[in-house]
Every structure is written in C-alpha cells, then in structure tokens.
C-alpha cells in the first residue's frame, strides 16, 4: 500500500471508528499525555494470568525478540481496527490508540511499554512453543446465474438452520431432496471449480469477481455466515489415505488429481462433511483495502491479524509473535481478531496473509514453530 493510500485509509478508519465509539459499553477514559509522562511504577513481575487453556507469565520487554526493530506503525491499523469492538480491558485505551495512528513507530513503542505489560503465553503444562499456520482471502471468478462453466453453488444460510445443531452433511446437501429444498433460492453465486469452492469453504470468506445476468461485472465479498456444524476433514489427508501421489502443493496437486480422476470428484469433496454458508457484502474502496471481518467483528489487516483459540487469548488482544521458518521469518506486533475450527491450543495461531494469489501462495507454505506474548493493559 502506498504511503498516500495508507494515509487516506487510516484517516477514514480513524474517522469511522471515532464515530462508532459513541455508545460504547465501556467509554474511553482520558489517558495522561505521553510526552513528559513518567513511566508508571510497577511491582515485581510475579504471578501469572490464568485462562482456560493457557497460562500467561509476566516478563520484561527485553524478552520479546525484535521488539525494537518492528515497523510498529504498520501494525497500528490493526490496533485502530480493534477499537471498533474492543474487549473490556482495552476500551479505555482506544482514545490513545486512535490519536497515535499517525505517530511514528518510536512513539507507538513508547506508549506500548508505558501502558501494556507483556506476558509469555504458555500451555497449562508450561510449554511455550506451538504452531503457526496461515490463511488468506481468495479471489475467484463467479456468475450470478448457473452456466455450463459455472455450476458449483455458493450458498447463503438455509431456511431453518439452528445454530450449534448439526445439519445435513456435504454429501446429503448435494443428494437429498429435503436439503436441496431448504437451499432453494439461497444461491449467492456459481463458481467454476469444485476445488476452488472447497478452498473458499476452508478459508471461510473470499472475493468474487461476479458477472451479472446483464453482463455487468463487479467484485463482492462473501463472508462467513454459518456452517452445518459437521466436523472438518482434510481432503488432502483423504487423498493421502487413498494412496494418491504428491499432494503437498495446495491446491495445484489436488486439481491435478481431479483432472485425472473426474469420476471421483464427488467422493473427494464428500470426504469433508463440513459445509460453510456465506453472506454477500458490498466492497467499498476502504473495505477493499482490508480483509474480511474476523470472529471479533472487525476487518482483518494483512500481516497483522491472527486467528487464535479464544480460550487461550481473548479477541482484541495485541500479541507479540515470533516464528522462524523456511517460508517466512516473523517478529512483529499482531492482534488476535479471528478464530478457526483447527486453531486450538494455548500457543496456536493462524496468520492472515492478505488477499489474492500471492497471499495464497504464502499461506499454503506456512507451518512452522511459534511463540507468543500477550500485551495486556497494566
């Protein structure tokens, strides 16, 4: 993003969130000015914060690898976005966060060290190393009406779906008259490739370059709305269990297998009973600069938002993330703003890589060690 575009986007977001803050359940409080403020007097770093799946151990800022080297201002968009729906602990800090949106990285780091306390995130057994994976927002061609080429439906939530109650499996959705009756009239758009449609289901949201019946073309976002509450199963693992050859390059190897085994495509897709339903959203210029809304309810920021297990880290928590690996070396500020069915455990995160093909290529390769530090208000 160019500096000028970033300025416009940040300005728009700050203005929007400032307006949205009216009526916030916990109103912002005025914080002391940063310039000339003495650092607060802290007691010894003892004790820990307990969560259902993790233990937070207080540490000094010097423990955070690369803290002084991160381009913190690049992560501040996620901090500002976070203030649209802050958790109770962070709501009083949002006035400062918005004010610092145009500050430099040094000023932002100074504020963090004065107002936040880092905690090393560990499992209840004391394990501080976990796993980092990555996800992204795909972009696909689609048609509003079915055609010979575009014949894979993307559905809105069906009539009569009850939250948290298992509904028809993927196979039943495609074969049972009663399931199809519940989905009649609920097709948002039609895609051309069943593997791409599966990828959209796995990522949970995406953009569709949509062709309307009158020939008009425009881009919309399809965001996660609900699932059929069936378990997720990896179609790649199914291919491995079937004795398929190389399936490490997702989705290329899977598409190659489909091309060689067209008669088994349904069997492959049905191996994953989980089915995702979507809602269509318009895409303004500001919306297009950010990712979809995560589980916290705020837009995700490429390279600065992560999905977590909320029983380990609450939504809206700034986190220092470090992850060395062959795909990417990360030491940076991120914010916990999303979740996922496979993102479970104390030290576990899914890194939002961004939108489009290049982000997808990165996301497909990330599976590497992870350490996390939660940054919590003092």
């Amino acid at each position: 993003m160019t500096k000028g575009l970033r300025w416009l986007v940040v300005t728009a977001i700050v203005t929007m969130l400032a307006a949205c803050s009216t009526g916030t359940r916990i109103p912002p409080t005025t914080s002391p000015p940063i310039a000339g403020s003495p650092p607060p007097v802290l007691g010894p770093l003892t004790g820990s914060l307990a969560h259902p799946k993790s233990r937070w151990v207080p540490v000094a800022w010097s423990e955070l690898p690369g803290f002084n080297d991160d381009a913190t201002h690049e992560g501040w968009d996620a901090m500002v976005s976070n203030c649209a729906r802050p958790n109770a602990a962070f709501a009083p800090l949002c006035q400062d966060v918005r004010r610092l949106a145009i500050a430099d990285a040094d000023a932002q780091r100074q504020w963090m060290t004065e107002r936040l306390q880092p905690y090393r995130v560990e499992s209840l057994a004391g394990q501080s190393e976990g796993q980092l994976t990555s996800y992204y927002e795909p972009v696909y061609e689609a048609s509003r009406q079915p055609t010979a080429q575009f014949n894979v439906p993307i559905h809105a939530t069906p009539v009569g779906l009850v939250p948290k109650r298992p509904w028809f499996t993927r196979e039943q959705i495609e074969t049972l008259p009663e399931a199809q009756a519940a989905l009649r009239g609920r097709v948002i758009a039609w895609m051309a490739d069943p593997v791409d449609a599966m990828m959209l289901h796995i990522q949970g949201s995406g953009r569709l370059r949509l062709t309307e019946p009158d020939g008009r073309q425009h881009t919309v976002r399809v965001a996660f709305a609900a699932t059929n509450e069936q378990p997720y199963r990896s179609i790649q693992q199914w291919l491995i269990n079937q004795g398929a050859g190389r399936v490490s390059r997702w989705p290329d190897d899977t598409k190659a297998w489909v091309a060689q085994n067209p008669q088994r495509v349904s069997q492959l897709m049905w191996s994953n009973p989980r089915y995702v339903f979507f809602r269509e959203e318009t895409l303004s210029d500001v919306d297009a600069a950010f990712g979809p809304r995560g589980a916290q309810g705020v837009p995700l920021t490429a390279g600065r938002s992560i999905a977590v297990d909320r029983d380990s880290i609450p939504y809206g928590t700034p986190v220092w993330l470090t992850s060395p690996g062959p795909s990417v070396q990360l030491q940076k500020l991120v914010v916990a703003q999303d979740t996922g069915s496979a993102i479970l455990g104390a030290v576990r995160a899914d890194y939002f890589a961004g939108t489009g093909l290049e982000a997808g290529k990165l996301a497909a390769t990330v599976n590497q060690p992870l350490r996390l530090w939660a940054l919590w208000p003092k």
Side-chain angles (χ1 to χ4, degrees), residues 139-144 188-189 207-221 280-284:
V139 182
Y140 297 118
E141 301 292 333
S143 172
R144 187 70 78 181
I188 296 173
R207 301 186 190 189
L208 300 180
R209 290 192 289 255
L210 195 58
T211 301
E212 298 287 356
D214 61 3
R216 179 173 54 94
Q217 294 183 319
H218 61 123
T219 300
V220 302
R221 173 173 280 145
E280 181 178 340
E281 297 179 350
T282 57
L283 205 60
S284 69

Side-chain angles (χ1 to χ4, degrees), residues 325-348:
S327 298
V328 63
Q329 300 280 330
L330 298 175
Q331 293 180 341
K332 65 195 310 185
L333 171 68
V334 295
V335 183
Q337 296 179 318
D338 204 3
T339 192
S341 59
I343 312 306
L344 301 173
V347 189
R348 179 74 174 93

Side-chain angles (χ1 to χ4, degrees), residues 48-62:
S48 62
L49 296 181
H51 296 270
K53 290 186 180 178
S54 67
R55 179 179 65 185
W56 293 12
V57 180
V59 300
W61 283 96
S62 59

